[in-house]
Amino acid sequence: MADQSLPPIQYAPIQYAVEPDLTADAFIDLLHRSGLAERRPVAEVERVEAMLRNAGLIITARLDGALVGVARSVTDFVYCCYLSDLAVDRAIQGRGIGKELMRRTRDAVGPGTTCLLLSAPKAVGFYEQAGLARHGQAFLFTDLP
């Protein structure tokens, strides 16, 4: 009897790049497709343009040229790196793109640099599954009296 099992699914390769000139329109579109738009100022294009322009590091993931993932970080490249946006198109989540974007961010900022992020409530499980350690001493000071 012939083996009836299906071959493993072959995905097209993802192309990763440092992309400092990512456009606000492309970023906003991906934020919508990833689910992060509800937590970002996507209606304020000028603000999103400033977010991109002032980021220290933007790493993208593309599939056949289409933007499918972004890691946008604020960093000094020697002491700390805050990964402020990690977005992957919902249609292709689960393929390791988010983890690879984090790896490439860590590698780009260099050894000895502390890398940190704040999780969206819905993404906590992803970061736990990815093996990230929680940091219990983080504080927000946006509304400091």
Side-chain angles (χ1 to χ4, degrees), residues 64-119:
D64 295 327
L67 184 67
V68 296
V70 170
R72 185 185 77 86
S73 302
V74 178
T75 183
D76 57 22
F77 291 94
V78 295
Y79 183 69
C80 65
C81 174
Y82 169 54
L83 175 52
S84 55
D85 298 299
L86 181 64
V88 176
D89 188 323
R90 284 182 181 134
I92 61 167
Q93 289 178 358
R95 296 189 194 178
I97 296 167
K99 283 182 77 172
E100 185 62 22
L101 285 165
M102 286 189 290
R103 266 190 218 98
R104 287 173 183 257
T105 297
R106 181 203 57 211
D107 292 349
V109 297
T113 303
T114 299
C115 298
L116 61 111
L117 59 83
L118 296 175
S119 177

Side-chain angles (χ1 to χ4, degrees), residues 6-23:
L6 296 173
I9 297 172
Q10 296 293 319
Y11 296 114
I14 303 294
Q15 296 83 38
Y16 296 91
V18 174
E19 202 170 328
D21 296 324
L22 181 66
T23 68

